[in-house]
Amino acid sequence: MTADRMPAMFDPGAESMPEDQRAGLQQHALRAMIDRLLAAGGLQGRRLAEAGLTSGADVALGDLPRLPMTLKTDLWSQYPFQMLAVPLSDVVAVHGSSGTGGRPTLVAYTRADLQLWARMCARALAAAGAARDSVVHNAYGYGLFTGGLGIHQGAIELGATVIPVSGGMTSRQVTLIRDLRPDILTCTPSYAIRLGEALAEAGLKPGDGLAIRAGIFGAEPWTDALRARIEELLGLRALDIYGLSEIIGPGVAAECVVAADGLHVNEDHFLVEAVDPVTGAPVPDGTAGELVFTTVTKEALPLLRYRTGDIAALRRGTCACGRTLVKMSKVTGRRDDMLVIRGVNVYPSEVERVLLAEPSLAPDYLLVVDERAAQARLLACCEYKTDSPLPVPSGELEARLREALGLSVQAILVPAGTVPRIEVGKAVRVARWPGGDPPLPGLS
Ligand code: DLL
């Protein structure tokens, strides 16, 4: 990409700052955060005091790996507001995610936190090539989920026009895309496929009625194979955006359209570490580990070394786009979604990579962990494309899966429309089958 076509950064001073200069600012912000936590006297402040800290001045940036960690269970035990570092009257919004067992993980924002969040999402949009004259079709869900409102505020901060369509009602989305000709699409990657198919059915094709240049997809894991599928279907550059409610929502990290090979972490606000998911010890750059974030500038809910459960690798250096922010790889799995099948560790993303590399298969699949016998089996139920005359023989697919995973997996090809479609939100790709009715009809 030539310099004159390089999209402008939203915050060039911060995004392309020399690393050593940024480290100075990070240390300053970390110390101030520790002072705020100690003063607030909540769970995190007490842990710091127990670790012998009396002031932020006691720590240097390099001490971060030795500071106490914070877990999702801490947010649950302090539900709803015991972890706030500001008076409740300073909180202007709450968001959250549905936790397991229906327990929401609730997070809170001050006015300054919302401004910070808008800026982080504006950075992500600008990194995708969006600008003031852009029209952003925002099909992330609006509500307690952070996706919709986070991107919404980011688009406004950038000065673009946002279409707050939220998720679902796909035929209305098709009409709006036809009439308003957005250049940027934001939604989950699984919904991008659903929308792409609906647009194609309505006769809207890349270059013929569709003007979307880039899509910013996240909130669930997706592979490069799915990226290729989305790009082909919608004729756009498919970029990854990562975030979690606890840290701020979308905008923790995002890919740039220039390199599109990893997500720039906004580490001037969110310090990032990759640690061994079992021991918690730091892993070297380039090695997959569990991401741990420290929100050094957030007011309402500052989190010290928050363990995300998300697995990715970090990479440093200056990107072709000019950003010096550390990059994280795509999330390759979660600490807790790793399946252990007959002693072999399997991440659903590894299976997805094999399935989506096969052109005769559609992007919808369900992995079924058959737990009816003592030795669990993994079944990969994949839809074949309706227009594919000869789907791949299941034996061939099984050989590829065995080669990639070191495990025998039973491949079951099913007609399009068999795997339950998600209408909006996050796709469910794994089902357990402890007994009783099978998760998909016809399995035995
Ligand atoms: O999913 C925030 C978000 C909204 C991110 C829109 C991107 C776009 P939560 O609902 O709290 O927040 O879920 C956070 O979703 O810990 C990851 O496991 C997963 N996740 C989020 N983005 C990605 C991604 C939002 N790009 C949890 N790739 C996180 C893989 C992702 N997983």
Side-chain angles (χ1 to χ4, degrees):
M1 193 168 290
T2 55
D4 56 343
R5 299 219 17 235
M6 191 92 90
M9 292 179 208
F10 179 74
D11 214 349
E15 294 175 75
S16 59
M17 181 179 282
E19 281 179 56
D20 51 349
Q21 194 181 334
R22 182 180 298 124
L25 295 180
Q26 287 171 324
Q27 172 161 301
H28 183 75
L30 175 64
R31 289 177 166 173
M33 175 206 189
I34 288 175
D35 284 336
R36 289 200 305 281
L37 289 176
L38 286 167
L43 178 71
Q44 298 183 89
R46 287 199 298 277
R47 283 188 186 147
L48 284 167
E50 279 160 21
L53 288 176
T54 52
S55 149
D58 296 345
V59 297
L61 192 57
D63 296 325
L64 187 64
R66 288 183 287 282
L67 297 179
M69 287 181 154
T70 312
L71 307 173
K72 202 182 201 66
T73 45
D74 294 329
L75 286 166
W76 288 344
S77 75
Q78 306 296 301
Y79 177 90
F81 292 129
Q82 290 173 66
M83 280 186 69
L84 290 191
V86 297
L88 192 52
S89 53
D90 287 354
V91 168
V92 298
V94 294
H95 277 280
S97 53
S98 44
T100 38
R103 229 177 337 180
T105 304
L106 209 62
V107 298
Y109 304 76
T110 63
R111 194 176 294 281
D113 291 336
L114 285 187
Q115 278 157 3
L116 169 68
W117 189 19
R119 293 182 68 80
M120 297 302 102
C121 287
R123 283 189 188 180
L125 286 158
R132 281 178 54 86
D133 58 358
S134 287
V135 176
V136 180
H137 182 96
N138 185 19
Y140 283 113
Y142 281 61
L144 206 53
F145 174 55
T146 51
L149 282 158
I151 298 291
H152 183 97
Q153 296 163 95
I156 292 173
E157 182 72 21
L158 186 65
T161 305
V162 61
I163 317 294
V165 63
S166 193
M169 295 178 68
T170 304
S171 60
R172 188 180 67 174
Q173 307 237 3
V174 170
T175 306
L176 286 170
I177 289 175
R178 189 191 58 214
D179 297 347
L180 303 181
R181 297 181 62 79
D183 55 329
I184 305 286
L185 170 66
T186 55
C187 60
T188 59
S190 45
Y191 192 61
I193 292 279
R194 171 84 199 86
L195 199 52
E197 286 168 354
L199 288 165
E201 275 163 30
L204 291 171
K205 299 200 180 69
D208 182 12
L210 266 191
I212 308 172
R213 285 184 293 124
I216 309 180
F217 306 123
E220 63 189 11
W222 56 304
T223 56
D224 280 329
L226 192 62
R227 188 202 301 264
R229 279 291 171 89
I230 296 175
E231 293 192 334
E232 187 191 324
L233 188 61
L234 284 154
L236 45 68
R237 294 291 304 279
L239 304 171
D240 200 349
I241 182 166
Y242 169 84
L244 58 165
S245 318
E246 298 90 312
I247 301 308
I248 205 153
V252 173
E255 272 180 332
C256 63
V257 69
V258 177
D261 66 348
L263 298 84
H264 293 285
V265 180
N266 286 317
E267 56 170 330
D268 44 342
H269 298 281
F270 316 120
L271 309 186
V272 62
E273 303 165 74
V275 304
D276 183 303
V278 179
T279 64
V283 300
D285 285 351
T287 304
E290 180 180 351
L291 298 178
V292 172
F293 287 99
T294 298
T295 64
V296 283
T297 53
K298 246 175 38 168
E299 290 182 344
L301 187 63
L303 290 179
L304 183 65
R305 304 197 72 216
Y306 183 75
R307 288 187 76 148
T308 61
D310 295 322
I311 308 290
L314 299 178
R315 183 155 45 101
R316 276 161 237 278
T318 304
C319 179
C321 70
R323 288 178 180 80
T324 52
L325 297 164
V326 62
K327 274 187 192 174
M328 57 177 263
S329 67
K330 283 178 97 55
V331 171
T332 52
R334 282 193 51 78
R335 191 184 54 211
D336 45 13
D337 80 3
M338 187 180 76
L339 305 170
V340 185
I341 311 285
R342 300 194 298 278
V344 180
N345 298 348
V346 181
Y347 284 105
S349 59
E350 293 176 277
V351 184
E352 175 174 313
R353 205 167 299 123
V354 176
L355 299 182
L356 294 192
E358 168 50 48
S360 66
L361 296 183
D364 274 313
Y365 66 91
L366 183 71
L367 305 181
V368 175
V369 185
D370 177 2
E371 295 170 332
R372 290 171 304 162
Q375 290 271 34
R377 293 190 303 156
L378 187 61
L379 314 177
C381 308
C382 355
E383 291 187 357
Y384 51 85
K385 283 187 186 158
T386 320
D387 57 2
S388 177
L390 260 189
V392 58
S394 49
E396 199 175 314
L397 204 54
E398 285 168 356
R400 287 183 213 162
L401 286 165
R402 188 165 40 246
E403 165 85 25
L405 308 172
L407 175 79
S408 56
V409 177
Q410 187 180 347
I412 298 167
L413 298 190
V414 295
T418 312
V419 170
R421 307 289 312 244
I422 61 125
E423 185 55 24
V424 280
K426 309 187 183 204
V428 177
R429 295 297 189 202
V430 180
R432 296 194 180 265
W433 186 11
D437 290 340
L440 273 191
L443 295 185
S444 57

